[in-house]
Amino acid sequence: MSPVAQHHEIRSGADVLDVSPVIPVVVVESAEQAVPLAQALLRGGIPVIEITLRSEAGLAAIEAVANEVEGMVVGAGTVLTPEQVGQVRDAGAQFIVTPGSPPRLLEAAVGSGLPLLAGAGTLTEMLTLAEAGLTAMKFFPAEASGGRAYLSSVAGPCPHLRFCPTGGVTPENARDYLALPNVGCVGGSWLTPKDAVAQGDWARIESLAAQAASLRSA
């Protein structure tokens, strides 16, 4: 485990953007998969993971990684309700990711005290988050919402906002996103293919993580 991976202080969403060029967006079907999966990512040089609540095992997986994988920054993704905000905080999540930012959810997430990457797909949503004091956010769904061209245009009127584009980001286009001045990192599911997770092919995930860790903005 590298010493660098052990000392990421995550106090805000902006800090989350600076941990790694890629945040793996992960769905696990059993909590038992979570720890070896996170360890494989860490060995590959990716010290951050977003475990989504898209499966029944999500909360238990967050708790397992938070407790057992030293040096891994673990976040909770696909947080949709105020109730889930409390659940992921109790499970040990170090940051929260939401696909959108309706008022009650945003209030609960901000009120939790956890760093937040709230989802925004339009300028109005981005400015609404900025009004709430958030300058780092998730751009989602990235490709469907206009992709790199949209984010490049946003940088003009809103140079103070920074993003983690997620949704349709691939190894082929990730570097183009990372080259934008307002992109801190990207989110992607390609680091943890469903079949590799199901088969426990941690070596493959480590290799994909190493390739992702080498992605840097131009």
Side-chain angles (χ1 to χ4, degrees), residues 24-27 37 41 188-197 205 208:
V25 180
V26 178
V27 180
L37 186 157
L41 290 171
S189 58
W190 78 84
L191 287 77
T192 56
K194 191 174 290 188
D195 60 335
V197 176
I205 288 174
L208 289 168

Side-chain angles (χ1 to χ4, degrees), residues 17-205:
L17 296 187
D18 294 330
V19 176
S20 166
V22 182
I23 297 178
V25 180
V26 178
V27 180
V28 292
E29 297 304 329
S30 75
E32 289 71 29
Q33 297 169 331
V35 168
L37 186 157
Q39 290 169 334
L41 290 171
L42 203 52
R43 287 194 302 271
I46 300 291
V48 61
I49 185 171
E50 176 190 331
I51 298 176
T52 72
L53 301 186
R54 297 180 194 178
S55 75
E56 294 291 328
L59 277 175
I62 291 166
E63 187 169 9
V65 174
N67 289 335
E68 299 178 43
V69 187
E70 184 182 357
M72 177 59 80
V73 178
V74 57
T78 321
V79 176
L80 303 177
T81 68
E83 293 72 28
Q84 288 178 333
V85 169
Q87 291 169 351
V88 300
R89 181 187 57 207
D90 293 344
Q94 292 168 267
F95 64 95
I96 292 173
V97 185
T98 68
S101 48
R104 285 182 62 244
L105 177 58
L106 182 60
E107 182 181 5
V110 171
S112 73
L114 289 176
L116 171 64
L117 291 179
T122 67
L123 264 172
T124 296
E125 292 169 345
M126 293 168 185
L127 292 175
T128 299
L129 292 175
E131 280 187 353
L134 304 172
T135 57
M137 54 197 73
K138 171 179 176 174
F139 177 52
F140 180 81
E143 283 290 283
S145 297
R148 187 179 182 278
Y150 190 92
L151 276 186
S152 181
S153 299
V154 166
C158 303
H160 58 301
L161 302 183
R162 294 176 70 224
F163 299 93
C164 172
T166 307
V169 180
T170 67
E172 290 71 38
N173 64 18
R175 198 180 296 274
D176 291 336
Y177 274 105
L178 290 166
L180 293 174
N182 57 350
V183 169
C185 65
V186 298
S189 58
W190 78 84
L191 287 77
T192 56
K194 191 174 290 188
D195 60 335
V197 176
Q199 296 161 13
D201 190 350
W202 311 127
R204 181 179 167 200
I205 288 174

Side-chain angles (χ1 to χ4, degrees), residues 2-13:
S2 77
V4 175
Q6 298 178 32
H7 294 99
H8 291 288
E9 289 195 38
I10 307 300
R11 297 176 179 170
S12 68

